[in-house]
Amino acid sequence: MSKIVIEGGKKLNGALEIDGAKNSILPILAATLLIEGTSEIHNCPVLSDVDVALKILSHLGCVVKREGQCVTVNCQNVNCAEVPHSLMREMRSSIVFLGAILARTGKAVMSSPGGCELGPRPVDLHIKNLKILGAQIEEDGGFLNCTLPEGFKGKEIYLSFASVGATENVMIAATLAQGKTIIHNAAREPEIVDLADFLNSAGAKIFGAGSNTIEIIGVDKLHDTSHKIIPDRIIASTYMAAVGICGGSITLKNVIPAQLAGVIDVMKQTGAEIFAREGILKVSMKKRPRRISSLHTQIYPGFPTDSGPPILAMLTKARGTSVFVENIFQNRYNYVDELKRLGANIETEGRVAVVEGCSRLSGAPVRATDLRGGAALVVGGLGAQGITTIDKICYIKRGYADIVRDLKMLGAEIKEE
Ligand code: EPZ
């Protein structure tokens, strides 16, 4: 198993392009099932989670082709409605295929995605609201056996929590439904807007994406389309945290600064100098970051939960003590014990982490526990004196196409071996 090796303590300087967003391409790949033709998707990142989604589409009968950052999916002949357990287990967010498979085939069988490293990952909001739209879903021994006896029919949906995945599943299911669907308390993430843009480019009628009320007027059929995925704001925030802990000055290209407002605000509070204009973000840090007295993760447009681990890692070298409150997931601190092996002073209690900044971290062997926790260990290693080796980097490859390549372009002493 390969590992990442970092010689930390060096300032970062340089520029790089940010890849397409994992959390945008995944629901969009599911949505291609609604198109009985070809979807051409550009700026598609090379990630293991994307590979799993493409395997699911192929398993269902679609013809999938990748040429670099461009993926073409032809869903003319969908001849299966079952997602194998092995693929469901590889990627918890496969649940977002449920609405699409049901809409396309009238039935679906898939295993409950189960928990993951972040704690229980219930899908009750997905199931409850797909049932309201007309699905019959039986949960039997960890499997979801689903049918759609009379097709999806538009309804008013009230999400008890602004779940990203549940909003996406309902949007996809409602696209070809009979009549109008309104989603109240919808998630507002940029990835929701990108999914709506993709579907509308194929002839869907979706209005209000990005606000907390989304209206979908069902249409009979969608047509071929081509779409470019938005940049990955979480990857961008990871590299902002990297320059925050190392010092230096970096330029991130192919970003949408407006989508990073929550992170930019936090970085400015820590003393970073930020220059943002269309598509470009320059981030400089001249000395140790200032602490953040209280940082709450929120639904969009608040500070994103996925940026929490890298930013927390940065604050292990802050001047002062920071308090994190994780409001989205139940168990997002699995990586903290590994970060403490670098000498960080962190105490966690439930959703709260208290980070007492120190002037020095020391390199050590550590192991990734999940995707963003792994990214946090990379940030910690960059800020530690000496050598840090990171094991189980398969977690990191789920969400970063090549974090070693990227950080090398910013001047880091990092390699994969
Ligand atoms: C998406 O996950 C992202 N994944 C996550 O990114 C991200 O952290 C999350 O949204 C929040 O922004 C993808 O888009 C593939 P949720 P999702 O439904 O859809 C609870 C990463 O690192 N909940 O908004 O699963 C759930 O348990 C990943 O890239 C229910 O209770 O997030 C969690 O506590 C991690 N019942 C909270 O809502 C449900 O039916 C947020 O979940 C669904 C969710």
Side-chain angles (χ1 to χ4, degrees), residues 49 70 88 148 200 234-235 310 339 364 382 398:
D49 271 10
C70 177
M88 282 299 290
L148 192 61
N200 285 339
I234 306 302
I235 293 179
L339 210 46
L382 290 168
R398 288 188 46 210

Side-chain angles (χ1 to χ4, degrees), residues 22-24 26-27 49 91-96 116-129 160-168 187 189 191 232-234 298-300 304-306 326-330 332 351 370-372 398-399:
K22 165 179 85 80
N23 293 348
S24 182
L26 295 179
D49 271 10
M91 184 178 69
R92 184 240 166 244
S93 50
S94 310
I95 188 69
V96 81
C116 75
E117 318 80 31
L118 308 182
R121 298 292 290 273
V123 290
D124 55 312
L125 298 178
H126 298 250
I127 290 172
K128 173 188 170 199
N129 291 293
S160 54
F161 171 80
S163 156
V164 171
T167 300
E168 290 162 347
E189 275 70 3
E191 293 75 28
D232 193 313
R233 59 197 171 93
I234 306 302
Q298 305 283 1
I299 59 173
Y300 193 85
T305 175
D306 296 341
E326 167 57 45
N327 292 308
I328 305 297
F329 287 102
Q330 202 168 342
R332 188 130 223 188
R351 291 174 181 263
D370 61 270
L371 165 54
R372 305 303 174 185
R398 288 188 46 210

Side-chain angles (χ1 to χ4, degrees), residues 6-52:
I6 297 167
E7 184 176 350
K10 304 195 175 340
K11 288 187 185 298
L12 296 187
N13 287 287
L16 91 152
E17 293 255 339
I18 296 297
D19 282 336
K22 165 179 85 80
N23 293 348
S24 182
I25 182 65
L26 295 179
I28 284 175
L29 286 174
T32 62
L33 284 165
L34 302 183
I35 299 168
E36 295 182 39
T38 300
S39 302
E40 194 178 81
I41 303 168
H42 299 274
N43 200 30
C44 178
V46 180
L47 300 169
S48 54
D49 271 10
V50 172
D51 294 342
V52 172

Side-chain angles (χ1 to χ4, degrees), residues 75 162 181 222 235 276 315:
C75 296
T181 298
L222 298 181
I235 293 179
L315 293 171

